[in-house]
Amino acid sequence: MERAFWNIGKGVLTLFVVLGFVFLVAPLLVVIPLSFNAEPYFTFTEGMLRFESEAYSLRWYRSIFESEDWLRAIQNSFFIGIFATVLATVLGTLAAMGLNDPRLPFRKFVSALIISPIVTPIIVVAVSVYFFYTDLGLGQTYLGIILAHAMIGAPYVVITVSATLANFDYTLLRAAASLGANPWTAFRRVQLPIISRGVITGALFAFINSFDEVVIVLFMAGLKQRTIPREMWSGIREEISPTILAVATLLILLVVLVLITVELLKTLGEKNKLSSN
Amino acid sequence: MPNHRNMKSRIRPIGLALPLVAFIVITFLIPLGNMVKESVYDAEVAGALPSTLRLLKDWDGVDLPTEEVFRTLATEIVILQESRALGKIANRVNRVISGTRSVWGKTARRVKDAETDDMTTTMIEIDDRWRDLALWRGIKEAGQRYTPRNFLHAVDLTKDDDGSIVPAERERRVYNTLYIRTLQVAITVTLLSLLIGYPIAYAIAHAPPTLSKILLLCVLVPFWTSLLARATSWIVLLQTQGVVNDALVWFRLVPDEGRLSLIYNMTGTLIAMTQNLLPFAVLPIYAVLSSIPPTYMRAAASLGANPMQAFFRVYWPQSLPGVASGCLLVFILSIGFYITPAIVGGTKGQLISNMIAYHIDNNNWGLAAAISVIVLLSVLLLYVIFDRWVGVDKLKLS
């Protein structure tokens, strides 16, 4: 009797968890089939539900690549994303190495400072960046947006690289030094290969972060600098067309690809660790 | 490292951390400080009407200013008109004394060619409002470089004619309602995220390895997916002719003419924000739950606790650091949430951040800055409380 009671409880809880996952994932899943809608509607047509092939089409994907606005947005997103990522990755990796060294003075303070951009509400970050950069003449420039995106991307690099450095065996560097390597060689040939998956993971996160960021872009970008999310913002608010669903699907695909890459890197890292032991 | 004990060994870590520290100071902290300054400092009017303001300093505020003041102002207005800077000044003064924007252009146009010995009468003939002491007080007020005006405005207060602080007129009171609404939304979203997120985190932490990885991916994909893409999906799902309503009608749960309005209102904001922020609750809770040894629960059971007791007396207390981090992150992010309420919130689901963006669009930097400072301070306060209770170093972000 009591057993049955707890089993029912467990069943209800399981159902609740399943519904929670549905709530998280369903919005993403719904967009994907709808982006292949042959009609300019945001809902499933009768034909789609009956899986008729003429109810589906690639017209919204074609319209992305036929639109100058979207093409420019894609170009801008990659351009800004790549430069912001490079800057964030270089600065973030170096800082993580410094932070991981117990000899660094004011370590707690320094790490709080470095993390601060991503724990401040984005609207506040965007407002301050907008005022300051506009005063400096960096409003409506690529440079301004790249600097801002590097600033909010670098903390992710620091976090992921620190995580890999926590397991790094520093005796390896001393071994390299005793074999005659100078610090730069030791870093490049010994430390970097070992922490590289942390660096790549951090870089990927910084890139996605820049790729998706829209509040700063909203304030800072002129017509020339509009990125993909900025274009989606106008699309949703002005004339909503299923092209946006196609773009959203591509963005989801990008995230899935990046996360799978990160997961592979992780597995690879674990294998390396096992074989080196 | 034990064999590095000299001064030189400290230089390496400092040298490594310094570039990023400098970068963040320049690209983030200085702009942040500049924003705080922007909220209390405005030299626009002071710089544009220096002579008039110098003369107004000695003005008693009871009688009409002297002919000299009128004459000086007239000269300065004409100069401003020629350099196309008058509109800005009209806007600034209008923020202090509303309904005075048109006075300036009109006066500038007519006073330019006026040959007169009595500028006072001429200006009053051009526009009667020059007789109004409130306008002069407004000019004097707008001419102050440092001003609490934006902060007063941002909390629905204003200065009356005597300079004492009073509540703003009823129809201009908008901000306090929005702070309260934002707070209510933040609390609701935090509780919902905890309620839905905890079981999800539990499931991921205790599933077999492969399933656990897949489930974690189900949290990470929405976490990293563009907010705009997610907002789009919610429009698709929740609008009147959307997927959810279609399904409800299909199953005859609601009649076709009685479709639910699930979006462009507070419901839409709450649903979409909870889904947007749920991963921020799940991830830190999951991180803590996966470190709780399963033997504890078995021990509790073997000592006679039923599942409920074992959970609340043994498991739950150990998960509290994760719960606290998750709730803090969700709460803080909700307070500054902008994109989602702007898209799915309609007019009833707007939050304080939408007001900040509104004032940026309307070039009222000072007010946007003041509201941002209030948001920033409340977030800082939360971190301080969290640090007292849990310790900020326990905050898990990855």
Side-chain angles (χ1 to χ4, degrees), chain A residues 196-202 204 258-272:
Chain A
S196 63
R197 66 195 170 85
V199 176
I200 296 172
T201 306
L204 286 172
V258 166
L259 286 175
I260 289 175
T261 314
V262 168
E263 191 53 42
L264 286 180
L265 284 172
K266 221 193 229 163
T267 331
L268 216 66
E270 275 154 18
K271 270 199 196 125
N272 278 346

Side-chain angles (χ1 to χ4, degrees), chain B residues 25 74 76 108 112 123 146 154 207 237 241 259 266 284 289 306 316 318 325-326 333 340 351 359 370 376 386 396:
Chain B
V25 167
E76 286 184 323
K112 204 160 136 192
M123 277 173 70
Y146 287 92
L237 278 169
Q241 301 298 325
R259 285 167 176 261
M266 188 50 99
L289 293 193
N306 68 35
W316 171 256
Q318 295 185 77
S325 308
L333 290 166
T340 306
L351 304 179
H359 287 303
L376 182 67
F386 183 85
K396 290 217 165 68

Side-chain angles (χ1 to χ4, degrees), chain A residues 70 73-74 76-78 80-82 84-85 117-118 120-130 133 141-156 204-222 225-234 251 254-255, chain B residues 28 222-230 333 336-340 343 357:
Chain A
W70 280 112
I74 293 171
N76 280 338
S77 278
F78 276 101
I80 292 169
I82 288 170
T85 304
I118 57 169
T120 307
I122 184 73
I123 186 90
V124 176
V125 177
V127 168
S128 30
V129 162
Y130 171 68
Y133 289 16
T141 64
Y142 286 103
L143 180 62
I145 302 173
I146 288 171
L147 289 177
H149 279 187
M151 177 255 292
I152 53 169
Y156 291 103
L204 286 172
F205 285 154
F207 182 74
I208 299 196
N209 202 46
S210 159
F211 214 74
D212 287 344
E213 198 291 318
V214 66
V215 186
I216 293 174
V217 172
L218 214 49
F219 292 163
M220 296 261 301
Q225 291 89 21
R226 287 187 164 198
T227 58
I228 297 172
R230 179 64 185 81
E231 211 54 62
M232 290 178 86
W233 168 266
S234 331
L251 289 182
L254 179 80
V255 170
Chain B
F28 177 62
F223 179 75
W224 285 107
T225 298
S226 152
L227 277 178
L228 265 309
R230 284 187 273 170
L333 290 166
F337 231 52
Y338 166 58
I339 294 298
T340 306
I343 290 177

